[in-house]
Amino acid sequence: MNENLVKECEQIMLSEFSEMHGQVQLLHEERTNLIDALRQLEAANLEAGASGKHEFPSLGRGKYSECSTTASSDGKQEFEDVSEEDEPSFHDTKEYFNEPNVGSVTNLSTSGYPNIKRRTKLPDPAEKEKGVSLWSMIKDNVGKDLTRVCLPVYFNEPISSLQKCFEDLEYSYLLDRAYEYGKSGNGLLRALYVAAFAVSGYASTEGRHCKPFNPLLGETYEADFPEKGIRFFSEKVSHHPTVIACHCEGKGWKFWGDTNLRSKFWGRSIQVEPVGVLTLEFDDGEVFQWSKVTSTIYNIILGKLYCDHHGVMQIRGNRQYSCTLKFKEQSILERNPHQVNGFVEDVAGKKAATIFGKWDDSLYYVSGDGISKTKVSDPASNASLLWKRTKPPPNVTRYNLTSFAITLNELTPGLQEILPPTDSRLRPDQRHLENGEYEKANLEKQRLERRQRMSRQLQESGWRPRWFEREGESETFKYTGGYWEARGHGNWDDCPDIFGEITEELADSA
């Protein structure tokens, strides 16, 4: 080809490319303006949601002792309009906060704990897993309470709901920092780290599509993690409704609560509504309380399974600060899912800090009213990191357990001999599933579910929890003490063998 012809072709191509580039740039500007407008609408919703009030039964004083929400006829929360001056602007944390020089708060020392060697992977499966007919399970259970549906063990992950509660404490170091900051007189940073802790508990749910085992009535779980400086204990305290109570002690703080999960199976999705209040109390008397938001698992039949959390979380303190967090519901066209936006305010209602990030990745804050509403080239220059999720383990299974969750059902040397007969780690169907013995796991699950059907009669006959009690019908179950002392003496005489065979005596008592 003639060289002049080549140059002429190049010139035509460059001219057309320049014209196309201008069109793309125009579309990009229009899209950016649209996103900015949507963010301002989102900010208005958050502001209005913060004006709602929820009632917490045992919180201290001031305006944080009660609050109210308005609900629409379809059960969804309504938000009121607010002025444009009060609207914060929220930004994509992945775009703006991946620079290495993002500011962070002082890294308080967490050293000094003993080094406990824990496992990093689950046992290799003993047999090949068999699939199940999903449609045959779905068609008979649409609209039913999921806790009452007998699903094959294939749908379970090898941990119980009691152990799942302890996963909320994976980032307990956030509470250690909150305690230290509050102790030094910085109440704002204490509230910010409490908020980060409340969000961090959701990080482990990403990619987790299997159902934890539903504990038997009276089933318990203990977790002694001296390397984290915490001791945790949980018990299933009610079968109908299903209620799990837990209690954890850390360095300068205590955390407790109970949860009643109202779940519905709608064929294409599973929606879980947690009912209950979580309480965090520091040794200096400051208390924070909050309730969890709604969780939904989508695309049960077709498409890629995914989990989303959505709703407004109110974290109420009994002193100077409280916090409002909005978990944004993921839409079909969402380009940036899992967003969490919120703010910390003082008793006068003045914003002290703005919080933003993702519940599956990280959380940041900016002091004061936060990010400017105007478009700026570097809105994250003054952002500080509160929490960052740990990396997933290299040995990933279909359960997608985190490195922390992999350790929860482990029987470390010498542990089995000192556990009560009610501990989840001794549950046979769960142990068989972890070992990849699927046929044995299914048989044991069916046997224990027959036993579980007697739990309602036992409860109605006057059965009471061993380690927790409730003072009133509307109050939270609280730990009565004595478990760790009994463990030290090996005294489990009053703990029934709930995983044993069903005897005639037990059937008669039920």
Side-chain angles (χ1 to χ4, degrees), residues 254-268:
K254 293 179 182 177
F255 173 77
W256 71 88
D258 58 42
T259 303
N260 172 17
L261 296 178
R262 294 178 184 171
S263 55
K264 288 291 183 180
F265 184 34
W266 295 114
R268 294 175 59 187

Side-chain angles (χ1 to χ4, degrees), residues 48-69 77 191 194-195 198 277-281 286-291 312-325 343 345-347 349:
S51 64
K53 298 183 178 180
H54 302 278
E55 189 165 326
F56 292 101
S58 59
L59 194 58
R61 58 181 179 82
K63 72 170 192 171
Y64 303 116
S65 59
E66 63 174 18
C67 41
S68 77
T69 56
Q77 194 168 357
V194 170
V277 177
L278 302 175
T279 302
L280 171 67
E281 181 179 2
E286 187 165 12
V287 178
F288 292 90
Q289 289 186 315
W290 66 92
S291 296
V312 176
M313 177 185 288
Q314 302 279 357
I315 304 175
R316 300 294 175 181
N318 66 340
R319 290 188 180 171
Q320 189 176 2
Y321 295 103
S322 66
C323 180
T324 299
L325 296 171
F343 53 85
E345 64 178 0
D346 60 21
V347 289

